[in-house]
Amino acid sequence: MRGLLISASIATSLLFATVSPGQAEGTLLTVSGEIDNTNREAFDPFFDGFLKFHDKTFDKAHSFDWETLAALPQKTIKVNADTEDWPRPLTMEGPLLKDVLATAGATGDSATLYALDGFGFEMDADKMVAHEWILAMKVDGKPLGIGGLGPLWLVYDTGGAKAPEEEERGWVWSVFHIEVE
């Protein structure tokens, strides 16, 4: 039991080690790569422990905490999927992906969104404009938590209709990093 608690403590420390000097406390999302608007220092192997764990380094980045994401215009959508374990249509709320990328001054033609487990979903310009993507911060009015589907969940509005399972696979949950290329 003690070993399990120590492991959980180390994992939690790694997760929150993405806060570095000059960066907003409580960072939920880091956008790096081809961006023009930076608000934090370059990658620091000590303070960016979780990014280091995932082999993510950068010279420039823009970090977002809960407040900066919540200050962007919020979009509320209905999301549903035709998968075995999808419970019902869900109401999700968060900023538009395009607004997050614009805030970071993204100049690239594609972006890869990374989840806490290392999964990466690459979106080219066509995928980005195919839907009005949001980075959901809340589901049914409740903030997404780390250890569940948070901190952020990439989804688009299905209007309550069931999206095919192949589409749902691109709805990255636990998003913490976006690399613009």
Side-chain angles (χ1 to χ4, degrees), residues 33-89:
E34 293 186 35
I35 63 170
D36 287 335
N37 301 332
T38 61
N39 67 352
R40 60 152 289 162
E41 307 287 326
F43 171 80
D44 180 305
F46 181 78
F47 286 104
D48 292 320
F50 199 69
L51 290 161
K52 178 182 176 182
F53 175 79
H54 285 290
D55 295 321
K56 304 298 174 207
T57 63
F58 45 82
D59 294 326
K60 57 185 178 178
H62 192 102
S63 64
F64 294 86
D65 60 15
W66 179 271
E67 290 77 24
T68 56
L69 287 168
L72 292 172
Q74 301 292 293
K75 175 100 175 163
T76 301
I77 62 174
K78 284 280 191 196
V79 180
N80 201 0
D82 192 17
T83 62
E84 178 180 316
D85 58 344
W86 197 271
R88 66 190 181 300

Side-chain angles (χ1 to χ4, degrees), residues 21-40:
Q23 182 178 358
E25 188 173 310
T27 296
L28 294 182
L29 176 67
T30 301
V31 179
S32 65
E34 293 186 35
I35 63 170
D36 287 335
N37 301 332
T38 61
N39 67 352
R40 60 152 289 162

Side-chain angles (χ1 to χ4, degrees), residues 67-139:
E67 290 77 24
T68 56
L69 287 168
L72 292 172
Q74 301 292 293
K75 175 100 175 163
T76 301
I77 62 174
K78 284 280 191 196
V79 180
N80 201 0
D82 192 17
T83 62
E84 178 180 316
D85 58 344
W86 197 271
R88 66 190 181 300
L90 301 172
T91 302
M92 298 191 185
E93 179 183 339
L96 293 167
L97 174 62
K98 66 181 181 180
D99 289 345
V100 171
L101 294 174
T103 300
T107 59
D109 296 327
S110 66
T112 304
L113 290 88
Y114 291 98
L116 293 171
D117 67 358
F119 175 76
F121 179 68
E122 185 175 346
M123 298 180 74
D124 60 20
D126 291 338
K127 279 185 189 173
M128 283 193 223
V129 298
H131 299 287
E132 197 170 50
W133 296 93
I134 72 164
L135 287 168
M137 300 170 63
K138 296 179 184 179
V139 173

